[in-house]
Amino acid sequence: MCSVLDAMFGDSKDSAMYSVIHSRSLEGPPGERLLSRVAQFSGCDPKAALDMEPEYIKEILKPLGMLEHPIIFITDNQRPEILEKLQADPEIAPQIQLVPEEASWVGGDMTMAIMSTVFIGNPASTFSGF
């Protein structure tokens, strides 16, 4: 289960401070409807977790002092423009990292997310819910 942590942080995995962004589109309009229903009950923003705009990410990470630590981006790859926007932001870009393809698998990615210092996900995603 720790193969992704090993690949990303090696021997310092036990003390690594990092954030995980889980970008999950939930297949477009059906995902928007699902997140909208979740937002009604939880009070979360009905769009922010789908769009993962740089300002949204910074509003979460900056007060926690986590913009100076690695930000691991995991995704369903349905909206590549989200990663492109994050990589274009001067504050976020230096910290963005992707899990090496050879180390990425659902169990490993989920373990990395669970072990993260800060997790930013989509509350309508089962993966994020775990």
Side-chain angles (χ1 to χ4, degrees):
M1 292 297 286
C2 293
S3 60
V4 176
L5 288 168
D6 288 335
M8 299 296 295
F9 300 111
D11 290 339
S12 40
K13 72 177 181 234
D14 292 337
S15 60
M17 289 184 64
Y18 64 95
S19 300
V20 168
I21 297 172
H22 180 224
S23 175
R24 179 80 168 92
S25 70
L26 301 171
E27 290 70 45
E32 290 176 14
R33 286 191 298 275
L34 178 59
L35 183 57
S36 178
R37 284 195 307 271
V38 170
Q40 287 176 341
F41 295 105
S42 69
C44 72
D45 185 292
K47 284 291 277 175
L50 288 172
D51 296 337
M52 296 289 179
E53 293 288 338
E55 292 307 314
Y56 172 70
I57 301 301
K58 289 189 279 190
E59 287 293 320
I60 295 169
L61 297 181
K62 192 177 278 186
L64 300 172
M66 292 301 291
L67 280 175
E68 299 153 11
H69 298 279
I71 301 169
I72 314 302
F73 186 81
I74 56 178
T75 182
D76 60 9
N77 294 311
Q78 292 184 22
R79 296 196 48 207
E81 72 275 10
I82 292 173
L83 177 59
E84 292 167 7
K85 283 194 246 180
L86 294 172
Q87 289 174 321
D89 185 275
E91 287 182 271
I92 295 173
Q95 302 304 334
I96 287 284
Q97 296 181 24
L98 303 174
V99 176
E101 195 169 315
E102 65 276 3
S104 182
W105 64 289
V106 173
D109 291 356
M110 187 179 294
T111 299
M112 172 163 268
I114 290 167
M115 301 297 293
S116 65
T117 309
V118 177
F119 177 77
I120 304 171
N122 183 327
S125 164
T126 304
F127 183 97
S128 291
F130 288 141

